[in-house]
Amino acid sequence: SLSRLQWLIIMDLVSIAAMSVFLYFLYKYNQNIKKLNETLKNNHTEILEKNNQLQTQQTDLANLNTILESEVQFKQQLIESKNQELLNYALIIAENNDFLDDLKKNITDTSLKPQEIRQLLQKIDATQTKDKDWQTFKKMFDAVNPEFFKLLIAEYPDLSAQELKLCALIKLNISSKEIASILRIAPESVYKARYRIRKKMNMDSENKLNDYLFKI
């Protein structure tokens, strides 16, 4: 049988072995914890970097949106300004034509000779050249509404040149009386022309015609 000393030695060896195994697993555990902490730290750093990148992108996007909004607002203001210029020009044409019409009526009541009256009336008629005024108006109108006539003709090819002019003036929300002065036609002719346009477009009301032309 083993002596007590031998048993003590064996127990010590077993204890040492057990302690060694424990220390080994404890070391491994600590190493795994350290690696896990490093991984978490790296992941945290990556997340912070990605958050910073995202914030930078969001800031850039917000700045870009601000720039785009400013550009849109500027273009809208420019369009509104050009539309106002166009409207003013159209109204000037109407006022000039009305003035010259009144002048022609008053000339016949003066003491001028018939030949002088005819010459003066011819000069007034030359001043009221519709084609010249229309070409200037159309250039200004096309600058603000470059697709208007193209889309209108494509959708309704049966519209006449005079009806196209009327559509452009309706889009500017000009009154029928002013349209009559600009186109050098009677106010009744404007209403008839509107009716013909609505018939060609298969529209049963003035509002539908106006809404359609405003949207082009």
Side-chain angles (χ1 to χ4, degrees):
S1 61
L2 297 173
S3 65
R4 184 177 179 182
L5 179 60
Q6 290 175 324
W7 276 110
L8 290 173
I9 293 173
I10 292 172
M11 291 299 294
D12 289 339
L13 292 175
V14 170
S15 297
I16 292 171
M19 183 60 69
S20 298
V21 171
F22 172 77
L23 292 175
Y24 172 78
F25 282 107
L26 181 62
Y27 170 78
K28 284 293 186 180
Y29 174 78
N30 288 333
Q31 289 295 106
N32 291 335
I33 292 296
K34 186 182 292 186
K35 289 181 180 179
L36 180 60
N37 286 334
E38 290 178 357
T39 302
L40 291 175
K41 183 178 179 181
N42 292 334
N43 290 340
H44 182 68
T45 302
E46 290 179 2
I47 291 173
L48 289 177
E49 290 177 353
K50 289 181 179 179
N51 282 336
N52 291 334
Q53 292 176 357
L54 181 60
Q55 290 178 356
T56 301
Q57 291 174 354
Q58 289 175 340
T59 302
D60 292 342
L61 183 59
N63 292 336
L64 179 60
N65 285 335
T66 302
I67 294 172
L68 291 176
E69 288 175 0
S70 299
E71 290 181 354
V72 170
Q73 185 177 5
F74 173 76
K75 289 180 180 179
Q76 185 64 33
Q77 291 174 347
L78 182 61
I79 291 174
E80 290 176 359
S81 175
K82 292 295 182 182
N83 271 327
Q84 188 60 46
E85 290 180 10
L86 184 59
L87 178 60
N88 291 339
Y89 181 77
L91 295 179
I92 288 172
I93 294 175
E95 290 176 1
N96 288 343
N97 287 336
D98 289 340
F99 171 76
L100 292 174
D101 282 337
D102 291 339
L103 182 61
K104 287 166 66 175
K105 292 177 183 177
N106 294 330
I107 284 175
T108 57
D109 298 330
T110 66
S111 58
L112 294 175
K113 296 179 181 179
Q115 183 179 357
E116 293 174 333
I117 291 176
R118 284 196 300 271
Q119 291 176 349
L120 189 55
L121 291 176
Q122 289 174 355
K123 290 181 179 180
I124 292 175
D125 289 334
T127 304
Q128 289 180 307
T129 302
K130 293 186 293 183
D131 290 339
K132 180 181 178 181
D133 288 337
W134 172 251
Q135 291 303 322
T136 303
F137 173 84
K138 187 175 184 299
K139 287 181 180 179
M140 296 175 65
F141 186 90
D142 287 339
V144 182
N145 308 281
E147 299 295 321
F148 181 82
F149 289 110
K150 180 180 178 180
L151 295 175
L152 198 57
I153 293 172
E155 187 73 17
Y156 302 102
D158 293 337
L159 292 175
S160 66
Q162 187 76 347
E163 289 168 343
L164 290 172
K165 293 179 183 179
L166 180 56
C167 287
L169 295 173
I170 293 173
K171 181 176 177 64
L172 295 178
N173 201 25
I174 298 176
S175 68
S176 295
K177 180 181 178 181
E178 291 162 340
I179 291 176
S181 297
I182 294 170
L183 297 181
R184 310 292 299 135
I185 59 178
E188 295 79 8
S189 299
V190 175
Y191 294 111
K192 292 178 181 178
R194 283 176 176 267
Y195 173 77
R196 288 195 298 271
I197 292 173
R198 294 204 317 270
K199 190 174 181 180
K200 290 182 180 181
M201 294 183 176
N202 195 25
M203 296 179 184
D204 56 4
S205 71
E206 286 286 341
N207 290 335
K208 287 186 178 180
L209 174 61
N210 293 345
D211 291 342
Y212 171 75
L213 294 175
F214 291 160
K215 292 177 182 177
I216 299 180

